[in-house]
């Protein structure tokens, strides 16, 4: 076994690898860029080596710097994590030539599965079912249109070298096709330096289901079963689970057999993932193979008890796998939520900034009203850390496990309530909304889930009965606590709780268990609130409402509280009946008119402004391009108009909501 390994990665995956290495008694070396000099991974590693400026192209992607760091540290092997150099066969070969072990599959397997065209041909030859399509060279737009007609619309245009959901587009017509083909080709050249593009049938309303495989250098290959990753935005996963709610045993077995056949065909000898799209009828087709550890590997670890990083290290060191297929069983259900610094209220655009507050759920076993669940939180940042524009905006991967799927969903809802972030836009309210949806609970998943369920984008969720009760009880209790501490406590028991503008009358009291009771006016019902854990100044309010624990995010605003429970955010005021009456007569505040403005949807850099003052612009025309976190966002005019003012120029840094262009 190795005594020291180098981790050629950053963030939560570097932290994840350190944890296993440490448990195995292996020393770790972490390389880092300028931006990561004080990172959590750097703090945890036994040794660290600075490898250059913040942009990945000048640090994490420079093979010479990684190899030099291996030499200087005396590490015997390199774990590449995911992204960066993890699927680069040139890097794997280079290490081999230098006598350094690559903790991943053999370079031949990486190469064979490295691009989508080659791997699809390989899969087809290995007897794996593939999406019908055209894998040859496409010479022109006209040629692309002709092939698309042979396949039949809708057709997916894909960059052979694509990854991370980039370089993919759907065409529904000849016009889409002609435009999309050139666009994907150009995008692929800039993003991946490879403009090969292919076409395949777009499977309608599919599910993304994948098989985790594991091999060693002695010809053993097993399947660690399936994961479903259908909850996606921009063709990229946000919520994953294992096993898939769609599969029955026969389909699971068939999928596993195909995945193993493909792995066998390339002498696969590490952890890898064979991805499929599946129809709702359980038909399935090969998409691609990822020859690396996958972001969502924890859900597989939770249902199988196998540590995939440990197995990768062991197989790289030449050990024989200590278990066979018959030793592996699916135990319970696991769900992963990717917590991203991105703003769900603005089309999931990346967000950057300093994490001024970061409270995380406790790991380990918890109780809930419907049973116990286990929390695993793979985080790569700490409170006070900066989420920068240089890398992937993932903050953490929150996982829950329970004996049943509903238990894991319920556990996730609770764990998300216990995740509190401030300073950057984040997707926790969105994840909470999904956990609350009956469709998600029933397992009726599809890759169009987000589009189906949030057709106009995410706008938070209207409170259901339980959330309304939480809002009333939380606000009333906070009001009591503040009053008690004021030195002049009020002995009033009758209050009106206004949720936005909805009035709820309550009468407060205390029962024999000293719990706060709230009699709801006009309803034959009382709420009981106990184990209240809050004092003025705290941003989280914890309590047990009618026997179910919850955590709400709270802040004081001018005349009341801002409270978020799950996906519901509301202004809540606790008023005397007289005040409530006065309040009801106040006119509702009108939101400012922003219809004539084009504002930056996120903090970033202005790439270009396409218009000048006085110019006539038609709806749909590009007005400006903003870039943040390697993502370009093209802003278009929503209606015809004449430009009255321009607020920024190319190269300017801008904040969210900064006005770029104003129409007259
Ligand atoms: P998964 O492991 O589930 O496939 P992602 O698709 O999100 O997860 O990709 C994992 C990581 O690798 C992300 O950080 C993503 O940005 C990066 N990545 C994957 N493929 C590529 C690629 N071809 N080029 C650049 N980055 C990639
Ligand atoms: P990447 O390398 O970016 O992960 P994939 O080929 O795995 O690219 O595709 C990413 C996602 O795009 C899939 O998870 C699926 O949601 C969707 N997708 C890909 N191919 C198809 C297809 N032929 N039909 C329908 N959806 C597809
Ligand atoms: Mg994929």
């Amino acid at each position: 076994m190795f005594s020291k390994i180098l981790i050629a990665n950053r963030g939560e995956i570097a932290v994840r690898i350190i944890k296993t290495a440490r448990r195995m008694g292996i020393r770790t070396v972490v390389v880092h860029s300028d931006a990561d000099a004080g990172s959590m991974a750097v703090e945890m590693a036994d040794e660290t080596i600075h490898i250059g400026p913040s942009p990945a192209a000048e640090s994490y992607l420079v093979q010479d710097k990684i190899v030099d760091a291996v030499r200087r540290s005396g590490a015997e092997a390199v774990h590449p994590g995911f992204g960066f150099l993890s699927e680069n066969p040139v890097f794997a070969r280079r290490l081999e030539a230098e006598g350094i072990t690559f903790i991943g599959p053999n370079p031949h397997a990486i190469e064979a599965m490295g691009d989508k065209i080659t791997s699809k041909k390989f899969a087809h030859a290995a007897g794996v079912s593939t999406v019908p399509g055209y894998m040859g060279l496409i010479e022109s737009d006209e040629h692309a249109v002709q092939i698309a007609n042979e396949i039949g619309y809708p057709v997916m245009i894909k960059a052979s070298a694509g990854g991370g959901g980039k370089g993919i587009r759907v065409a529904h017509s000849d016009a889409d096709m002609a435009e999309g083909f050139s666009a994907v080709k150009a995008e692929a050249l800039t993003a991946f330096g490879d403009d090969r593009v292919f076409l395949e049938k777009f499977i309608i309303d599919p599910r993304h289901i994948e098989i985790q495989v594991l091999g060693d250098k002695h010809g053993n290959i097993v399947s660690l079963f399936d994961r479903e990753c259908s909850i996606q935005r921009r063709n990229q996963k946000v919520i994953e689970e294992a096993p898939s709610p769609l599969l029955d045993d026969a389909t699971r077995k068939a999928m596993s057999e195909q995945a193993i056949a493909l792995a066998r065909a390339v002498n696969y000898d590490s952890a890898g993932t064979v991805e499929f799209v599946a129809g709702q009828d359980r038909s399935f087709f090969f998409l691609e193979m990822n020859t690396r550890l996958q972001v969502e590997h924890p859900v597989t670890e939770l249902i199988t008890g196998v540590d995939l990083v440990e197995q990768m290290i062991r197989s790289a060191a030449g050990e024989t796998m200590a278990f066979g297929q018959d030793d592996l069983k699916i135990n319970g259900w696991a769900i992963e939520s990717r917590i991203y610094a991105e703003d769900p209220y603005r089309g999931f655009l990346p967000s950057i900034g300093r994490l001024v507050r970061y409270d995380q759920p406790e790991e380990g076993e918890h109780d809930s009203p419907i049973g116990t669940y286990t929390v695993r939180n793979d985080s790569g940042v700490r409170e006070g850390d900066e989420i920068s524009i240089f890398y992937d905006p993932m903050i953490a991967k929150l996982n829950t496990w329970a004996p049943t799927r509903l238990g894991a969903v319920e556990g996730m809802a609770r764990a998300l309530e216990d995740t509190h972030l401030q300073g950057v836009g984040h997707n926790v309210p969105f994840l909470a909304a999904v956990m609350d949806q009956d469709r998600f609970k029933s397992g009726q998943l599809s890759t169009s889930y987000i589009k189906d369920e949030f057709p106009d984008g995410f706008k938070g969720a209207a409170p259901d009965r339980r959330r309304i009760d939480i809002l009333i009880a939380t606000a009333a209790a906070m009001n009591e606590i503040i009053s008690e501490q004021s030195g002049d406590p009020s002995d009033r028991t009758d209050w009106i709780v206004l949720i936005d503008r909805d009035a709820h009358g309550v009468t407060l009291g205390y029962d024999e268990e000293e719990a706060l009771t709230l009699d709801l006016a006009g309803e034959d019902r009382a709420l009981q609130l106990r184990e209240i854990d809050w004092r003025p100044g705290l941003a989280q309010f914890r309590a047990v409402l009618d026997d179910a624990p919850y955590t709400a995010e709270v802040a004081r605003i001018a005349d009341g509280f801002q409270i978020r429970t799950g996906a519901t955010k509301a202004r809540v005021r606790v008023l005397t009946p007289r005040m409530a009456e006065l309040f009801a007569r106040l006119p509702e505040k009108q939101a400012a008119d922003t219809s004539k403005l084009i504002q930056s949807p996120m903090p970033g850099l202005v790439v270009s402004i396409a218009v000048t003052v006085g110019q006539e612009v038609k709806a749909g025309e590009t007005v400006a391009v903003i870039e943040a976190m390697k993502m370009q966002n093209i802003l278009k005019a929503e209606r015809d108009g004449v430009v009255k003012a321009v607020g920024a120029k190319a190269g300017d840094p801008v904040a969210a909501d900064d006005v770029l262009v104003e129409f007259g």
Side-chain angles (χ1 to χ4, degrees):
M1 185 42 64
F2 311 116
S3 59
K4 191 192 274 188
I5 62 172
L6 182 138
I7 299 165
N9 215 301
R10 59 174 305 283
E12 62 72 37
I13 193 59
V15 170
R16 157 75 190 90
I17 297 165
I18 293 171
K19 284 180 186 163
T20 287
R22 186 181 280 168
R23 191 172 50 70
M24 295 173 75
I26 300 171
R27 289 178 62 80
T28 51
V29 185
V30 160
V31 292
H32 68 88
S33 66
D34 287 347
D36 287 332
S39 74
M40 183 170 173
V42 163
E43 182 182 282
M44 286 174 70
D46 296 310
E47 290 172 42
T48 62
I49 297 181
H50 174 249
I51 49 164
S54 305
E58 296 168 47
S59 48
Y60 296 105
L61 287 170
V62 184
Q63 300 188 20
D64 285 345
K65 291 185 173 180
I66 307 288
V67 170
D68 181 55
V70 174
R71 292 268 165 266
R72 275 161 58 199
S73 63
E76 303 132 74
V78 173
H79 198 306
F82 43 70
F84 298 140
L85 296 170
S86 61
E87 292 177 278
N88 185 322
V90 176
F91 179 62
R93 283 226 161 79
R94 164 104 188 254
L95 292 185
E96 196 173 54
E98 305 250 2
I100 304 162
T101 305
F102 178 71
I103 303 177
N106 66 77
H108 167 72
I110 301 179
E111 211 154 53
M113 296 295 114
D115 73 73
K116 293 190 207 292
I117 291 180
T118 318
S119 67
K120 214 175 142 180
K121 287 181 178 162
F122 226 102
H124 186 71
V128 176
S129 105
T130 55
V131 188
Y134 181 81
M135 310 305 290
L137 180 73
I138 305 172
E139 279 141 16
S140 60
D141 290 4
E142 296 78 51
H143 190 198
V145 168
Q146 180 205 327
I147 296 162
N149 278 291
E150 280 159 25
I151 297 171
Y153 290 110
V155 167
M156 203 150 198
I157 313 166
K158 280 190 178 179
S160 183
K166 296 179 188 85
I168 291 185
R169 217 185 247 224
V170 186
H172 296 273
S173 64
D174 287 356
D176 279 3
M177 191 66 204
E179 192 209 317
F181 178 72
S182 321
V184 172
K185 229 173 149 58
E187 204 175 299
L189 191 63
T190 353
F192 314 112
D194 175 348
D195 73 349
R196 284 173 307 146
V197 164
F198 67 102
L199 305 184
E200 67 186 22
K201 184 91 190 153
F202 176 69
I203 313 287
I204 293 168
D205 195 31
R207 302 171 68 134
H208 175 115
I209 301 176
E210 57 189 33
I211 299 287
Q212 173 71 54
V213 295
L214 178 67
D216 65 13
K217 293 188 191 301
H218 309 280
N220 300 303
I221 300 176
V222 296
S223 157
L224 288 124
F225 315 110
D226 46 299
R227 293 185 285 256
E228 175 150 3
C229 320
S230 295
I231 309 294
Q232 307 183 346
R233 39 117 191 68
R234 292 186 221 108
N235 296 309
Q236 211 195 8
K237 307 154 182 172
V238 253
I239 299 173
E240 302 104 328
E241 62 186 280
S244 161
L246 180 74
L247 299 195
D248 50 28
D249 286 344
T251 316
R252 171 166 295 125
K253 190 156 174 276
M255 236 184 203
S256 282
E257 279 168 3
Q258 291 201 7
I260 290 174
L262 178 59
R264 210 170 278 297
V266 290
N267 295 319
Y268 205 78
D269 50 358
S270 186
T273 296
V274 181
E275 297 190 333
F276 297 91
V277 272
Q280 301 290 346
D281 61 358
R282 301 199 183 91
S283 58
F284 60 86
F285 308 93
F286 171 80
L287 273 183
E288 62 164 348
M289 180 169 188
N290 292 326
T291 56
R292 55 167 161 96
L293 190 64
Q294 201 99 336
V295 172
E296 60 275 19
H297 73 279
V299 289
T300 298
E301 298 186 326
L302 286 165
I303 62 157
T304 59
V306 173
D307 179 330
L308 284 164
V309 172
E310 175 184 340
Q311 294 307 318
M312 288 178 83
I313 294 173
R314 291 195 183 284
S315 67
E319 286 189 13
T320 302
M321 218 186 293
F323 47 82
Q325 192 68 57
D326 293 343
D327 301 312
L328 295 166
K329 297 259 163 341
I330 295 178
N331 174 30
W333 217 288
I335 298 185
E336 172 175 281
S337 292
R338 297 191 190 187
I339 298 179
Y340 277 107
E342 66 182 20
D343 192 341
Y345 302 97
R346 292 162 174 270
F348 304 101
L349 285 170
S351 171
I352 50 172
R354 191 170 296 281
L355 261 187
V356 294
R357 281 209 58 154
Y358 185 20
D359 296 301
Q360 302 173 63
E362 225 171 284
E363 293 194 300
E365 209 170 280
H366 294 251
D367 283 323
S368 93
I370 67 162
T372 62
Y373 63 92
T374 303
V375 173
R376 168 174 166 180
N377 186 35
D378 283 20
S379 183
V381 291
R382 298 149 303 186
E383 193 167 274
D385 284 352
E386 183 93 21
I387 309 295
S388 78
I389 57 167
F390 297 109
Y391 315 109
D392 197 89
M394 192 161 71
I395 296 171
K397 304 187 306 201
L398 181 58
N399 289 268
T400 53
W401 177 92
T404 63
R405 185 170 184 275
L406 271 182
V409 175
E410 163 101 359
M412 181 60 75
R414 282 289 298 128
L416 287 167
E417 285 193 349
D418 283 332
T419 303
H420 179 62
L421 298 134
Q422 260 177 343
V424 295
H426 60 83
N427 64 343
V428 169
F430 169 77
L431 298 165
V434 175
M435 294 304 142
D436 264 4
Q437 287 179 327
D438 289 338
R439 175 169 169 200
F440 185 76
K441 287 181 192 161
S442 74
Q444 300 294 305
L445 310 182
S446 150
T447 57
S448 59
Y449 187 97
I450 294 179
K451 253 186 248 134
D452 296 347
E453 298 302 315
F454 306 94
D456 306 315
F458 175 68
K459 305 202 155 43
D464 58 12
R465 188 67 253 179
R466 164 93 183 151
R467 300 281 179 206
I468 291 173
D469 290 351
I470 286 176
L471 292 173
I472 295 172
T474 305
M478 286 165 75
N479 195 55
E480 284 286 290
I481 293 168
I482 291 166
S483 162
E484 269 160 33
Q485 296 191 347
S486 70
D488 179 22
S490 143
D491 51 11
R492 166 175 290 281
T493 56
D494 285 351
W495 295 96
I496 303 289
V497 178
L498 276 186
I499 299 178
D500 294 319
R501 295 184 81 89
D502 290 341
H504 302 264
V506 295
T507 306
L508 304 184
Y510 289 90
D511 63 15
E512 59 284 358
E513 294 167 42
E514 298 283 294
L516 182 66
T517 56
L518 302 97
D519 272 300
L520 300 176
E523 286 183 59
D524 196 15
R525 190 163 88 86
L527 307 175
Q528 189 212 39
L529 193 71
R530 57 189 170 85
E531 294 173 45
I532 297 170
D533 176 9
W534 184 78
R535 60 187 152 71
L538 289 187
Q540 281 175 297
F541 180 104
R542 292 166 205 278
V544 176
L545 177 67
D546 293 343
D547 294 328
Y550 73 91
T551 310
E553 223 171 74
V554 297
R556 287 177 77 169
I557 51 174
D559 49 357
F561 310 104
Q562 164 109 1
I563 303 178
R564 180 175 72 79
T565 169
T568 297
K569 212 162 43 177
R571 285 165 164 267
V572 190
R573 299 176 172 85
V574 185
L575 305 174
T576 63
R578 169 96 192 109
M579 285 295 289
E581 235 172 79
L582 289 174
F583 191 87
R585 283 193 225 131
L586 289 177
E588 243 175 290
K589 239 218 258 125
Q590 293 297 317
D593 178 16
T594 55
S595 63
K596 288 184 172 157
L597 305 178
I598 301 272
Q599 292 166 287
S600 176
M602 56 187 178
L605 217 59
V606 177
V607 176
S608 59
I609 301 276
V611 296
T612 50
V613 175
Q615 187 175 333
E616 265 182 54
V617 177
K618 292 255 169 284
E621 267 181 53
T622 296
V623 172
V625 180
I626 304 292
E627 184 182 88
M629 306 232 195
K630 299 178 287 181
M631 247 190 57
Q632 290 207 346
N633 193 46
I634 298 170
L635 307 176
K636 297 185 173 169
E638 278 171 21
R639 63 192 67 158
D640 299 357
V642 175
V643 177
K644 185 175 157 196
V646 173
K649 58 179 189 312
D652 283 355
V654 282
D657 290 336
D658 276 4
V659 175
L660 303 171
V661 173
E662 186 180 350
F663 290 99

